[in-house]
Amino acid sequence: MTQRAFKQVDVFTAAPYFGNPLAVVLDGSGLSDADMQRFAQWTNLSETTFLLPPTTPAADYRVRIFTPGGELPFAGHPTLGSCHAWLQAGRRIGGQIPIQDSVRSGASSAETKLGSDPEFFVQECKVGLVKLRREGGRLAFAAPPLRRSNPSPALLAQVAAALGLSARQILAAQLLDNGPVWLGLLLDSHKTVLQLNPDHLALKNLGQKVGVAALDHAAPGAALIGRSNREARAFATRPDAHQAAEADAPALEVRAFAAPIGVNEDPVTGSLNASLAQWLIAEGHAPARYIAAQGACLGRAGRVHIEQTADGQVWVGGESVTCIDGNVSL
């Protein structure tokens, strides 16, 4: 075994232990797939990442992302948390030259490719290259391209039964694929989202990850006009748990159920929030800029900052904080 630099990071929160934890091994060189999977099972977190030198000069670093049940091509909170850990470690992976030294030596780097702004980075992962930006203390990733389609009536009925939902509580549904595949459900109220008590075994047997969300018309900037009386009900309820300052009030309440990959409920989910944003903004359900809340039912207070820029790119951001910093024998 080798002593490897290790961090445990809390993502989508500025306060430790209120977001989604991520284990980051800062140098995964020499580890086999089985080694990585075994360690991810041992940490028992929703995701564990391993940083590696990139295989292309277009990227700053490469990351492999594992759940207790398998490897993911892309995931949001591991993307932000891994970049946070990499930056904290001086942009090193093992003996890799830090990016600022590479620039001085004439080596290629994502920062030079993206212009003179040093606040942009590129991550390589199974889904391809993912661009990140840093603004103040907040990192954001550019949401990967989204493929979406209508779910079959049979799948929708089975998932609704597993969640205990009636047809009238589901305002819209889409299969969302940006690497991970989620069945996205837009529900009629925050209250409905927060009161769900899913049959996780049924969801596991269906083999379908499910993300549920509801909008709040009272949140700033969510100037949403009901397209029908049924859709207008999506904006009817604002639970006491979110009586925050108006400027920071969440517009979207989100929960993520991922029993097929060994995680009954994920505290805060970047990939799901990315695909929900692309879908809901494109369909006119949500504004181009909003905050999503996730994790309340697990005692967390995750905040996901969504922004669609003028070029149509959706950015998904949040704060990260390091909770454990040391070494792991692996």
Side-chain angles (χ1 to χ4, degrees):
M1 287 190 173
T2 300
Q3 290 290 304
R4 301 171 189 268
F6 173 83
K7 293 180 186 287
Q8 192 157 309
V9 178
D10 210 10
V11 185
F12 290 121
T13 179
Y17 317 117
F18 284 92
N20 196 354
L22 172 73
V24 184
V25 177
L26 286 147
D27 183 8
S29 301
L31 294 175
S32 68
D33 292 4
D35 292 334
M36 294 182 184
Q37 185 63 72
R38 187 178 302 109
F39 187 65
Q41 290 171 337
W42 182 82
T43 67
N44 202 33
L45 297 177
S46 58
E47 280 100 0
T48 297
T49 64
F50 301 85
L51 301 190
L52 297 157
T55 63
T56 169
D60 290 289
Y61 63 90
R62 179 162 60 104
V63 66
R64 296 188 65 182
I65 305 166
F66 285 81
T67 73
E71 186 171 8
L72 297 179
F74 168 76
H77 106 271
T79 292
L80 297 185
S82 294
C83 189
H84 167 86
W86 172 75
L87 288 167
Q88 262 199 350
R91 311 181 193 195
R92 289 181 181 271
I93 298 171
Q96 185 191 53
I97 301 172
I99 226 174
Q100 56 268 36
D101 295 339
S102 298
V103 171
R104 282 196 293 271
S105 69
S108 60
S109 76
E111 291 186 3
T112 58
K113 290 175 179 58
L114 295 171
S116 59
D117 187 346
E119 301 303 308
F120 286 86
F121 317 103
V122 174
Q123 170 184 285
E124 178 185 355
C125 55
K126 291 277 188 177
V127 82
L129 300 180
V130 177
K131 187 187 297 185
L132 294 105
R133 72 182 186 192
R134 180 170 60 177
E135 294 180 305
R138 184 183 302 154
L139 285 163
F141 66 85
L146 176 69
R147 295 178 294 277
R148 59 187 177 98
S149 59
N150 294 320
S152 71
L155 174 62
L156 191 56
Q158 289 172 311
V159 169
L163 295 176
L165 288 168
S166 64
R168 66 179 177 78
Q169 292 175 300
I170 302 174
L171 306 184
Q174 287 277 275
L175 281 170
L176 307 170
D177 180 359
N178 60 3
V181 179
W182 294 89
L183 173 60
L185 302 179
L186 180 63
L187 304 186
D188 61 346
S189 73
H190 282 191
K191 182 178 179 180
T192 298
V193 169
L194 293 170
Q195 289 185 343
L196 289 176
N197 185 21
D199 181 340
H200 295 292
L201 180 58
L203 292 176
K204 182 177 181 179
N205 291 337
L206 286 172
Q208 180 62 62
K209 295 186 296 182
V210 180
V212 298
L215 285 150
D216 179 4
H217 78 291
L224 304 171
I225 300 173
R227 295 168 184 247
S228 67
N229 287 337
R230 186 181 74 164
E231 285 191 4
R233 286 197 300 271
F235 317 131
T237 305
R238 182 188 185 114
D240 291 341
H242 297 298
Q243 297 298 323
E246 279 297 306
D248 298 321
L252 199 70
E253 191 73 48
V254 177
R255 293 179 71 183
F257 306 118
I261 61 170
V263 180
N264 283 349
E265 181 166 358
D266 194 42
V268 202
T269 317
S271 63
L272 172 61
N273 274 284
S275 56
L276 285 172
Q278 288 166 303
W279 167 38
L280 297 176
I281 293 172
E283 291 295 317
H285 295 297
R289 187 185 185 107
Y290 66 85
I291 298 173
Q294 190 180 345
C297 295
L298 299 175
R300 311 293 175 82
R303 293 295 181 267
V304 182
H305 296 256
I306 299 294
E307 179 187 5
Q308 184 182 60
T309 50
D311 61 0
Q313 177 64 59
V314 170
W315 291 87
V316 181
E319 285 79 17
S320 297
V321 58
T322 299
C323 299
I324 301 172
D325 194 348
N327 294 287
V328 63
S329 297
L330 190 59

